[in-house]
């Protein structure tokens, strides 16, 4: 049997990942409204990845005979005034999620739940990539955001992001 605390934290994280998806869809929505389809594409794909994260946890719990409880997903109510605002909010959010994943990892280690520790290894690495991506975008916007041509190029670059399913198989 999985440790109760570890199971509850993973169950709660499903909701957090789905909220992340909703938050990123709202950022895509903001950029689409600004006419920046590349930025919108970036965050649409980000939203899909977050749904994948939720589904990996959902399936992992079921594979381990754990009941899953789905709770309400909060409304994404951040207000964005500048093109930089979502980028900074996204980075802060990823840092927050890294803390959540680390806390589940700690609980799994404490419970000597090696299977969950191994499952979470993928998420630990993924968070490193997520934070690198989100801080990289802030840096690019700082460098190029004030120049219309450079912003156009950046938007074109982000339009090229293609969705790929997570490498983690259960
Ligand atoms: Fe599911 Fe962006 O971490």
């Amino acid at each position: 049997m999985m440790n109760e605390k570890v199971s509850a934290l993973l169950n709660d994280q499903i909701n957090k990942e789905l909220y992340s998806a909703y938050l990123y869809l709202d950022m895509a929505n903001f950029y689409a409204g600004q006419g920046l389809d590349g930025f919108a594409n970036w965050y649409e794909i980000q939203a899909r990845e977050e749904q994948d994260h939720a589904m990996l946890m959902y399936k992992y719990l079921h594979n381990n005979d754990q009941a899953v409880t789905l709770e309400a997903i909060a409304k994404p109510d951040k207000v964005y005034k500048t093109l930089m605002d979502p980028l900074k909010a996204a980075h802060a959010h990823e840092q927050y999620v890294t803390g959540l994943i680390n806390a589940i990892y700690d609980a799994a280690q404490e419970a000597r739940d090696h299977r969950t520790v191994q499952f979470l290894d993928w998420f630990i690495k993924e968070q490193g990539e997520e934070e690198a991506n989100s801080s990289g975008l802030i840096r690019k916007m700082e460098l190029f955001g004030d120049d219309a041509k450079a912003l156009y190029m950046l938007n074109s670059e982000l339009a090229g992001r293609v969705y790929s399913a997570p490498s983690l198989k259960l």
Side-chain angles (χ1 to χ4, degrees):
M1 273 301 278
M2 192 184 288
N3 175 276
E4 243 176 67
K5 184 182 170 190
V6 174
S7 179
L9 284 171
L10 278 170
N11 194 130
D12 193 41
Q13 192 63 29
I14 294 173
N15 185 276
K16 299 276 201 311
E17 299 290 340
L18 289 173
Y19 172 74
S20 299
Y22 218 25
L23 183 71
Y24 288 133
L25 188 59
D26 194 44
M27 291 178 186
N29 188 34
F30 168 77
Y31 285 117
Q34 301 290 319
L36 287 167
D37 56 345
F39 283 76
N41 174 63
W42 178 274
Y43 283 109
E44 278 172 28
I45 290 172
Q46 197 64 33
R48 288 184 73 183
E49 286 198 353
E50 299 301 346
Q51 291 175 59
D52 290 338
H53 297 168
M55 285 310 296
L56 285 168
M57 289 168 182
Y58 170 89
K59 284 185 183 157
Y60 179 76
L61 285 171
H62 277 294
N63 285 354
N64 285 278
D65 290 327
Q66 299 297 298
V68 170
T69 305
L70 299 176
E71 303 290 352
I73 301 163
K75 179 178 176 169
D77 55 4
K78 285 193 171 33
V79 178
Y80 306 120
K81 293 201 174 82
T82 70
L83 298 180
M84 178 66 97
D85 286 349
L87 305 183
K88 290 206 165 157
H91 187 55
H93 185 70
E94 286 305 329
Q95 289 176 320
Y96 163 68
V97 172
T98 296
L100 295 173
I101 298 289
N102 286 346
I104 308 173
Y105 199 93
D106 287 346
Q109 278 190 322
E110 210 170 293
R112 301 185 60 75
D113 179 350
H114 302 125
R115 189 184 299 169
T116 300
V117 167
Q118 197 171 49
F119 168 70
L120 289 172
D121 277 339
W122 183 87
F123 286 89
I124 297 282
K125 190 161 168 279
E126 175 76 1
Q127 282 311 120
E129 287 172 18
E130 299 271 60
E131 283 193 42
N133 283 339
S134 56
S135 70
L137 274 182
I138 291 171
R139 186 87 183 104
K140 283 181 180 176
M141 185 61 98
E142 280 169 352
L143 287 168
F144 312 124
D146 292 336
D147 179 79
K149 275 188 199 152
L151 182 63
Y152 179 82
M153 296 290 286
L154 181 56
N155 186 62
S156 301
E157 180 191 322
L158 298 183
R161 185 181 186 185
V162 179
Y163 168 77
S164 65
S167 54
L168 177 63
K169 301 276 179 264
L170 293 179

